[in-house]
Amino acid sequence: MELLSPAGNVDKLRYCYTYGADAAYIGLKNFSLRVKADNFYEDEYKKVAQLKELFPGRRLHCALNISFHNSEIDRLIEDIPYFKLYPIDAFIVQDLGIVPILQKNFPNADLHLSTQASCMNREAVKMYKSIGFKRVVMGREASLKEIAEIKDAVPDMEIECFVHGAMCIAYAGRCLMSAYLNGRSAQEGFCSHTCRWNYKLMAPILGQTDTVQQTDNALQTDAATKTASPFTQDALPMPKAIEVAQSGKLVLNEEKRPDEYFPVYEGENFTAVLSSKDLCMIDHLEDLKKAGVDSLKIEGRMKSIYYVAMVTRAYRKALDALEGKITQEEAKPFVAELYKASHRPFTTAFYYNRSDADVTVSGAADSPYLLAGEIKGALSAEESDFVFKKADQLKKRRQEEREKLCPQALAALEERIKNQPDKHLAAVEKKEGFAFYTLAPLNMITRQSALELVTPAIVSRKLSQEEFCLVNPNTGEVYNWVCDGHPCAIYTNIPLNQGDLLRALDPGYKEGIFRDNGR
């Protein structure tokens, strides 16, 4: 089975391939359902082409999965010469209007049907195959039993399924809540994740239902006159609760919109309204294989580099174990790391029992770790010599300055160095077996930081304070701390490679508590 990972930008694309993805999917500006991801634009096609050469055999899928208005069709046609600069192997689409456009201009690229199309039955799959689709990304509502039936009926159609990541409460991603509450359409890539917000479920106050005023958009109070809310959070007697639930008079009250009440209708079957659990199928890959799934898709083009790397690595090792390339025991510690990447409580969604998909949660995805930094590669011999040259010059200059000072001035200097260590950084010293690597800090790292190294092959390895120091490659100074934006090299006796990551424990993390990310 193919492992397909999300790439919201060029850096994430590199990590998809580095950590084991067979293919990655990207979005291009203005035509992807993840417009808040960095996506790809300008001359980034050059970097993408270089990555494809660096990782031969890896595939690149491009999501053009918005619902197109006329103006967007026109812009798509205008941008085709630019799209042709990318080494795209397949397009992921839901809008059938762009199919003939892509077939004409990209005859060698495959067509993959987006999960947005909610394809869930064999007759629909046959229809999509007849118009040129090579693969169907199954609707989230499809069960493993249904997928197996579809594969039996259309064996030469590739089947792709989401196996990990966040799920829209509408599951196929066709939710209208964001547009309704916030004026930002999920179907055009502007979802504001309204399902993750905090709500109260409220019912009419008994005896006051006649006073409720309904507007076009919501049941609401008169904020100007401070009219009291006609709703209550108090529990209703069960017969009355059922009557109210089916009356259409239940409302949701969002915490940052205290004077607005959004109508809710509860039908015969339970309907989840708020945030869904995260999908995780890593323990069920064999069942997916038996059902005939060809590609396993990880959600998350807006997720962090750390998330993309850890989740991709975990599924890579699990797949390798399933295929007999490594043992289950070898894969086990990598799979365990999956639970240390940000996530909400997990579910298997609709694959086995749809009731599991209807269980909702609140709060943000969370992780015990912060990504401290990325290793960008080793410094060349010339670059390393330059760092030591600057360090020697620094030491020499300081020594000359000290020699000019009287005892009292020298004592005052020593006191300033003691009280303001960040203004008097030490010069790096050569050590046997140590080497420089470019480090891009992403969060604050100090000399006391309990850093861990994670790589495609190393589950995690703690770094002692004796094994590294952080150096300004432009001055040869040893930092006491660094953060995002500082030029930095790590000087260490541990061999490192481009794509290795450094992480540190998040002091604000508490196990079992999912913190609010402020949206």
Side-chain angles (χ1 to χ4, degrees):
M1 290 186 287
E2 174 189 82
L3 179 59
L4 177 60
S5 291
N9 57 35
V10 171
D11 278 347
K12 292 176 186 177
L13 180 60
R14 175 183 287 276
Y15 279 91
C16 289
Y17 292 153
T18 299
Y19 281 76
D22 300 302
Y25 61 103
I26 68 172
L28 297 177
K29 282 291 184 185
N30 303 317
F31 300 106
S32 164
L33 284 179
R34 293 294 181 268
V35 295
K36 289 190 290 183
D38 292 343
N39 290 317
F40 292 74
Y41 58 97
E42 295 179 352
D43 65 348
E44 289 190 330
Y45 62 89
K46 298 177 183 177
K47 298 177 183 178
V48 175
Q50 290 172 353
L51 282 175
K52 288 267 286 185
E53 292 179 4
L54 186 62
F55 295 93
R58 309 297 174 91
R59 288 174 57 82
L60 182 70
H61 303 174
C62 177
L64 298 178
N65 53 349
I66 66 168
S67 297
F68 284 78
H69 291 281
N70 288 331
S71 60
E72 290 162 334
I73 289 280
D74 294 338
R75 192 165 68 247
L76 171 67
I77 294 172
E78 290 174 4
D79 286 349
I80 281 175
Y82 172 69
F83 288 2
K84 287 184 176 181
L85 298 173
Y86 283 84
I88 295 169
D89 297 298
F91 288 100
I92 306 167
V93 303
Q94 67 154 319
D95 193 324
L96 296 184
I98 69 170
V99 168
I101 297 172
L102 296 176
Q103 288 173 326
K104 176 183 176 181
N105 291 280
F106 301 90
N108 296 320
D110 297 332
L111 285 178
H112 295 177
L113 182 71
S114 171
T115 190
Q116 299 296 119
S118 293
C119 182
M120 294 181 296
N121 66 74
R122 60 180 181 272
E123 299 307 317
V125 172
K126 291 176 184 176
M127 187 278 294
Y128 286 116
K129 182 178 183 298
S130 72
I131 61 175
F133 281 88
K134 184 179 181 180
R135 177 182 295 186
V136 167
V137 186
M138 296 303 303
R140 297 292 192 106
E141 301 88 342
S143 68
L144 281 177
K145 179 177 180 294
E146 291 170 319
I147 292 168
E149 292 170 350
I150 289 170
K151 190 66 174 181
D152 288 342
V154 197
D156 50 350
M157 176 67 92
E158 293 181 1
I159 301 295
E160 179 178 305
C161 293
F162 278 94
V163 294
H164 196 90
M167 295 193 299
C168 176
I169 200 63
Y171 298 112
R174 298 187 297 169
C175 179
L176 301 177
M177 286 181 67
S178 180
Y180 178 59
L181 270 67
N182 216 27
R184 291 168 55 178
S185 172
Q187 286 304 288
E188 295 181 4
F190 291 97
C191 182
S192 55
H193 303 286
T194 50
C195 60
R196 313 293 191 213
W197 297 0
N198 296 323
Y199 296 87
K200 300 172 185 175
L201 180 62
M202 308 181 79
I205 296 175
L206 297 179
Q208 294 190 23
T209 55
D210 292 340
T211 68
V212 175
Q213 298 297 314
Q214 183 157 358
T215 70
D216 290 339
N217 295 318
L219 296 172
Q220 58 187 24
T221 62
D222 182 353
T225 59
K226 304 297 182 184
T227 303
S229 167
F231 300 102
T232 179
Q233 290 179 262
D234 296 337
L236 297 173
M238 184 56 67
K240 190 65 180 179
I242 295 173
E243 176 187 338
V244 171
Q246 295 178 347
S247 72
K249 294 179 180 178
L250 282 176
V251 297
L252 288 178
N253 179 230
E254 200 274 318
E255 69 173 0
K256 295 190 177 181
R257 293 165 173 78
D259 296 322
E260 295 183 56
Y261 300 91
F262 302 100
V264 175
Y265 178 76
E266 190 74 13
E268 180 180 352
N269 296 316
F270 174 74
T271 300
V273 177
L274 302 179
S275 177
S276 60
K277 289 184 176 182
D278 280 2
L279 175 64
C280 179
M281 287 291 287
I282 200 163
D283 295 327
H284 308 281
L285 300 187
E286 187 171 2
D287 288 349
L288 288 159
K289 184 176 183 179
K290 288 178 180 177
V293 175
D294 298 285
S295 180
L296 307 178
K297 189 170 192 173
I298 298 168
E299 180 276 338
R301 275 186 289 145
M302 292 175 60
K303 295 292 181 69
S304 69
I305 284 171
Y306 178 72
Y307 177 93
V308 170
M310 293 299 96
V311 175
T312 299
R313 186 181 72 167
Y315 276 86
R316 177 74 275 151
K317 298 298 183 181
L319 272 174
D320 287 348
L322 180 64
E323 295 168 359
K325 296 177 181 178
I326 60 175
T327 67
Q328 291 290 346
E329 284 302 309
E330 289 173 314
K332 188 175 180 180
F334 291 96
V335 172
E337 287 289 312
L338 185 72
Y339 299 88
K340 298 177 184 177
S342 61
H343 68 280
R344 296 176 181 84
F346 285 135
T347 175
T348 56
F350 291 91
Y351 285 119
Y352 295 101
N353 185 336
R354 69 169 297 143
S355 63
D356 195 33
D358 286 335
V359 180
T360 60
V361 295
S362 63
D366 214 349
S367 168
Y369 286 99
L370 293 171
L371 180 56
E374 305 172 56
I375 303 300
K376 295 295 189 179
L379 268 65
S380 67
E382 292 78 10
E383 290 169 330
S384 298
D385 288 343
F386 174 82
V387 177
F388 287 123
K389 179 180 177 181
K390 299 299 289 187
D392 289 340
Q393 290 173 348
L394 177 63
K395 287 185 286 186
K396 183 178 179 181
R397 184 173 67 252
R398 287 177 175 174
Q399 182 59 34
E400 291 173 349
E401 291 172 352
R402 284 171 176 269
E403 290 174 353
K404 296 176 182 178
L405 299 176
C406 66
Q408 293 86 348
L410 184 59
L413 174 62
E414 296 291 353
E415 186 66 19
R416 286 199 302 275
I417 292 173
K418 180 181 177 180
N419 294 331
Q420 298 176 317
D422 289 341
K423 293 186 177 180
H424 303 273
L425 299 174
V428 65
E429 301 283 351
K430 278 189 179 182
K431 293 183 179 180
E432 187 67 30
F434 277 60
F436 287 109
Y437 301 87
T438 300
L439 173 66
L442 299 173
N443 282 290
M444 181 176 284
I445 309 173
T446 71
R447 287 184 173 184
Q448 289 72 42
S449 292
L451 295 180
E452 294 183 19
L453 171 69
V454 291
T455 79
I458 298 173
V459 178
S460 68
R461 184 196 187 284
K462 293 182 178 180
L463 277 64
S464 69
Q465 294 179 23
E466 293 75 28
E467 290 179 308
F468 77 95
C469 64
L470 305 173
V471 179
N472 184 330
N474 299 325
T475 66
E477 295 172 294
V478 177
Y479 286 118
N480 292 322
W481 59 271
V482 294
C483 61
D484 186 16
H486 285 185
C488 185
I490 183 169
Y491 190 47
T492 180
N493 60 351
I494 301 170
L496 300 175
N497 295 291
Q498 184 174 7
D500 292 349
L501 296 173
L502 296 178
R503 69 184 184 188
L505 286 172
D506 182 348
Y509 175 80
K510 293 182 180 179
E511 187 173 357
I513 298 177
F514 287 81
R515 295 170 291 178
D516 185 2
N517 64 0
R519 300 176 195 168

